Amino acid sequence: MTTTVFEVEKVNSLKPLEGKVAIVTGASRGIGAEIAKVLARNGATVIGTYNNSPKQIEDVAKVIEEEGGKFHALQADVSVFDDTEKLATEVKEKFGKIDILINNAGITKDRTFKNMSKEDWDTVINVNLNGVFNATKSVIQHMLEQNDGRIVTISSIVGQAGAFGQTNYSATKAGILGFTKSLALETASKGITVNAVCPGYIGTEMVAAMPEKVLNNIVEKVPMKRLGLPSEVAQAVLYLVQADYVTGQAIAVNGGLYM
Ligand code: NAP
């Protein structure tokens, strides 16, 4: 049966998130913390994960709770499949379901390829790409059974354009784009959307770790002449979890930067 345009128009395509249960990986700071806040402000119950920063996630929890939002912190290393399996089981047991997964956790280990060790390569692949497999694999069956789900993964402009000294990171962020498009095709008829966001250079600890000269050169190339804010990335994520007819897409949030 096909749905007519008239029927689609009757459905409010932008849903508030009340009653929705969302997992945000790497919510202890930076972009993940802002995603957690914006989802909670819009009514979702947010389970924010951390790996090594229990103190930082407490600060995020405090802000959200002060705003009247619902937030719960859980520890999980996304590079360990057992951890994401435990996370999904615990969320289903405590909150009854999982509606939204935001794959945000990520790391860098920048070196020119000549100087990159096997360990530098494997560590970044294990967190940024295997971590996306692990967390998504741990929730997908549940989303298929409930015929509803939203998966958003944080890629990067570096996955689209490449970057000097980031072959490992760039490979993971480009891999996420292929993963997103393929999984979107497999789940489009099952009520699940799968999308990515490609931030440009955003003012977080990850970017603060870059040499100042390199960062200044990058900002000079950004048409808006500034770094992005984590909250500006979170706005794009909010749109994607509310939209019904958008899947397999990558939204750039980069101040107009095309390298
Ligand atoms: P960040 O400030 O360094 O925060 C990274 C987050 O990931 C932290 O919450 C950290 O938690 C978590 N994390 C790291 N390893 C983990 C693991 N093995 N398991 C679970 N969580 C782990 O980074 P950010 O700048 O906010 O970046 C967030 C995402 O956006 C990343 O995927 C990054 O690649 C992407 N991105 C960032 C930029 C940018 O300019 N900042 C641009 C494009 C894309 P713990 O500290 O608790 O371990």
Side-chain angles (χ1 to χ4, degrees), residues 157-218:
I157 192 168
V158 173
Q160 300 170 302
F164 190 95
Q166 292 197 306
T167 50
N168 50 1
Y169 183 78
S170 173
T172 64
K173 296 301 179 180
I176 283 167
L177 298 178
F179 171 87
T180 296
K181 287 176 190 302
S182 300
L183 187 60
L185 292 175
E186 292 181 21
T187 58
S189 64
K190 317 274 192 231
I192 301 170
T193 68
V194 188
N195 290 291
V197 174
C198 295
Y201 290 86
I202 311 298
T204 69
E205 285 183 28
M206 182 178 276
V207 159
M210 292 169 77
E212 200 182 334
K213 202 173 150 207
V214 174
L215 199 53
N216 287 342
N217 285 341
I218 287 169

Side-chain angles (χ1 to χ4, degrees), residues 25-32 49-54 56 76-79 103-108 127-128 154-157 169 173 198-207:
T25 68
S28 54
R29 62 173 179 274
I31 294 170
T49 77
Y50 65 99
N51 188 29
N52 290 316
S53 309
Q56 285 185 309
D77 180 345
V78 294
S79 69
N103 287 310
N104 165 78
I107 58 165
T108 51
V127 175
N128 294 11
I154 309 302
S155 173
S156 169
I157 192 168
Y169 183 78
K173 296 301 179 180
C198 295
Y201 290 86
I202 311 298
T204 69
E205 285 183 28
M206 182 178 276
V207 159

Side-chain angles (χ1 to χ4, degrees), residues 2-259:
T2 54
T3 309
T4 65
V5 172
F6 177 68
E7 284 166 333
V8 170
E9 280 173 354
K10 282 200 300 190
V11 178
N12 179 3
S13 66
L14 291 183
K15 296 179 205 156
L17 302 179
E18 277 89 13
K20 299 286 183 190
V21 176
I23 297 175
V24 181
T25 68
S28 54
R29 62 173 179 274
I31 294 170
E34 290 307 311
I35 295 169
K37 287 178 201 167
V38 89
L39 298 185
R41 276 180 205 131
N42 282 273
T45 297
V46 179
I47 295 82
T49 77
Y50 65 99
N51 188 29
N52 290 316
S53 309
K55 172 71 186 78
Q56 285 185 309
I57 201 127
E58 267 178 38
D59 295 342
V60 176
K62 203 164 162 247
V63 171
I64 294 177
E65 280 153 19
E66 279 170 6
E67 290 181 352
K70 297 174 221 112
F71 182 82
H72 303 266
L74 288 177
Q75 197 275 338
D77 180 345
V78 294
S79 69
V80 177
F81 187 56
D82 276 356
D83 275 24
T84 61
E85 286 282 277
K86 268 188 223 142
L87 168 70
T89 303
E90 200 171 331
V91 173
K92 280 183 279 179
E93 277 170 13
K94 277 197 182 147
F95 305 100
K97 60 182 182 146
I98 302 165
D99 301 298
I100 298 165
L101 170 66
I102 313 297
N103 287 310
N104 165 78
I107 58 165
T108 51
K109 273 195 181 293
D110 297 350
R111 309 260 186 283
T112 57
F113 188 67
K114 181 168 72 80
N115 295 323
M116 188 174 289
S117 67
K118 171 87 170 105
E119 196 195 342
D120 295 331
W121 174 267
D122 287 342
T123 307
V124 172
I125 300 286
N126 281 337
V127 175
N128 294 11
L129 195 53
N130 292 339
V132 171
F133 170 87
N134 292 341
T136 308
K137 187 75 182 164
S138 295
V139 305
I140 196 74
Q141 187 56 33
H142 172 75
M143 286 183 177
L144 288 168
E145 282 162 18
Q146 70 184 9
N147 248 293
D148 187 38
R150 295 285 177 271
I151 298 170
V152 181
T153 303
I154 309 302
S155 173
S156 169
I157 192 168
V158 173
Q160 300 170 302
F164 190 95
Q166 292 197 306
T167 50
N168 50 1
Y169 183 78
S170 173
T172 64
K173 296 301 179 180
I176 283 167
L177 298 178
F179 171 87
T180 296
K181 287 176 190 302
S182 300
L183 187 60
L185 292 175
E186 292 181 21
T187 58
S189 64
K190 317 274 192 231
I192 301 170
T193 68
V194 188
N195 290 291
V197 174
C198 295
Y201 290 86
I202 311 298
T204 69
E205 285 183 28
M206 182 178 276
V207 159
M210 292 169 77
E212 200 182 334
K213 202 173 150 207
V214 174
L215 199 53
N216 287 342
N217 285 341
I218 287 169
V219 171
E220 197 44 47
K221 284 188 194 146
V222 178
M224 291 192 185
K225 301 291 176 207
R226 66 171 176 89
L227 296 177
L229 299 169
S231 58
E232 290 171 325
V233 179
Q235 285 299 321
V237 172
L238 176 66
Y239 167 71
L240 290 171
V241 300
Q242 290 185 302
D244 286 328
Y245 200 56
V246 178
T247 196
Q249 301 304 305
I251 296 187
V253 181
N254 62 20
L257 181 62
Y258 295 96
M259 297 205 277

